[in-house]
Amino acid sequence: MNAAAPAHVFDASLPTFEQDVLLKSKEVPVLVDFWATWCGPCKTLGPVLEKLAAEFNGGFLLAKVDVDKEQQLAGYFQIKSVPTVMLVKDGQIVDGFPGALPEGQLREFLSHHGVAPREVVEEAAPVETAPLDPHEEVVRLRAAVHAEPEQEELKLDLALALLKTGGVAEAEQLLDALPANLAQDDRALRGRARLGFAALLKDAPPVPVLEAAIAADPADLRARHLLGAHAIVGGDAQAGLEQFLEMLSRDRNFQDGLPRKALIDAFRVVEDEDLVGAYRRKMASLIF
């Protein structure tokens, strides 16, 4: 790949293909370029694809797959010649072509599939603000809900704030009362996931007991699940994700796929996007 390639171009590999290509394609189309260093037409096609990726400014992503380095991945897609290009949208291959097309035909191919450039938006300089105290935020939102009881989004905000302060029962009532459109909001789903972890701990043993159980039997996945839930609810996201990842590595089918479900629920709860991204890649490397 060109060392000066734009930010929308990346090298794809087998361990991260699900996360970086299949899952990402649900947000933005991904063009996958299977190529090789010895391939003459690849040297013609590659720079044009990178140029378009830069010009489209995130309208699509360009995933480069060196078939010599990623033979297993090339075999999975039954690549018989290079270059071969595939377009992935919503987790599925929707079209593709072999060989090096000229720039005009490449533009027509993208346009045919509704792939368009994104406008460059100038971002304002971020304004630094002090983190809000969760308890103060609950007080503020209670007053806001009282003043505008018809504003359902304020009730969702209050439910999420209550979850951060331990107000599980009231938060659950607020989430249950949300209208259908807000009940499927990403923030509402995050609240539901957090409620799920809190419910797990209702009759769960305390942390020292669970740690002792795991020390005595590292394969005690039930104890690991509860210990991970303790960590997530207590704010130690990485420790919780580590427990769930360890469950997945030991037995992905435990209790009908509980390790994978626990990780996905935790991804909804954890707000650190970099941490979530890192553990999504680790999860993909274990299950793909």
Side-chain angles (χ1 to χ4, degrees):
M1 187 173 68
N2 186 344
H8 309 299
V9 182
F10 62 94
D11 290 316
S13 63
L14 181 60
T16 61
F17 194 85
E18 181 182 30
Q19 172 64 32
D20 293 347
V21 177
L22 299 182
L23 293 179
K24 192 65 179 179
S25 72
K26 295 183 179 182
E27 303 172 12
V28 59
V30 181
L31 210 59
V32 185
D33 175 23
F34 292 90
W35 67 289
T37 54
W38 44 264
C39 165
C42 298
K43 296 176 182 177
T44 301
L45 179 65
V48 179
L49 290 175
E50 292 179 16
K51 170 191 171 185
L52 291 174
E55 180 183 320
F56 276 54
N57 189 41
F60 73 91
L61 301 180
L62 177 61
K64 308 278 288 184
V65 179
D66 184 335
V67 296
D68 290 329
K69 292 181 179 178
E70 298 293 335
Q71 295 182 21
Q72 189 175 353
L73 186 56
Y76 178 79
F77 286 97
Q78 300 182 337
I79 301 302
K80 296 181 173 25
S81 65
V82 289
T84 292
V85 175
M86 294 181 179
L87 178 63
V88 184
K89 296 178 73 175
D90 298 320
Q92 302 291 328
I93 298 171
V94 296
D95 203 352
F97 57 85
L101 297 183
E103 183 175 333
Q105 290 185 33
L106 289 173
R107 292 182 182 275
E108 290 176 7
F109 175 84
L110 293 170
S111 176
H112 175 72
H113 290 286
V115 181
R118 285 184 178 174
E119 294 182 5
V120 178
V121 179
E122 293 186 5
E123 296 184 358
V127 178
E128 293 187 4
T129 57
L132 295 172
D133 178 88
H135 295 278
E136 291 180 0
E137 185 69 352
V138 167
V139 172
R140 183 187 72 80
L141 287 168
R142 281 194 196 282
V145 169
H146 181 74
E148 298 182 90
E150 73 285 355
Q151 293 295 325
E152 299 293 341
E153 289 196 5
L154 288 174
K155 297 175 184 177
L156 173 55
D157 291 338
L158 176 58
L160 297 177
L162 283 164
L163 285 171
K164 293 182 179 180
T165 61
V168 174
E170 185 181 354
E172 185 172 14
Q173 290 177 353
L174 287 167
L175 289 172
D176 287 342
L178 289 176
N181 62 320
L182 271 183
Q184 296 304 312
D185 184 276
D186 285 345
R187 295 178 301 150
L189 295 176
R190 178 184 300 164
R192 286 289 179 193
R194 187 179 288 274
L195 275 176
F197 285 119
L200 279 174
L201 302 179
K202 184 176 180 181
D203 299 312
V207 169
V209 173
L210 294 170
E211 290 176 337
I214 294 170
D217 179 11
D220 187 342
L221 301 191
R222 180 59 181 162
R224 287 191 181 278
H225 185 221
L226 292 174
L227 187 59
H230 269 295
I232 293 293
V233 172
D236 192 348
Q238 185 165 0
L241 291 171
E242 271 300 321
Q243 290 297 337
F244 300 151
L245 191 71
E246 182 65 19
M247 290 172 65
L248 186 68
S249 69
R250 288 178 177 273
D251 183 0
R252 69 177 66 183
N253 297 316
F254 176 70
Q255 291 191 1
D256 296 326
L258 179 61
R260 185 173 184 273
K261 181 181 182 299
L263 277 165
I264 291 173
D265 285 344
F267 293 155
R268 293 193 182 106
V269 172
V270 177
E271 297 181 13
D272 185 334
E273 293 183 1
D274 291 338
L275 184 65
V276 169
Y279 276 84
R280 279 192 185 277
R281 289 190 289 273
K282 290 181 179 182
M283 182 182 77
S285 70
L286 289 175
I287 65 177
F288 187 70

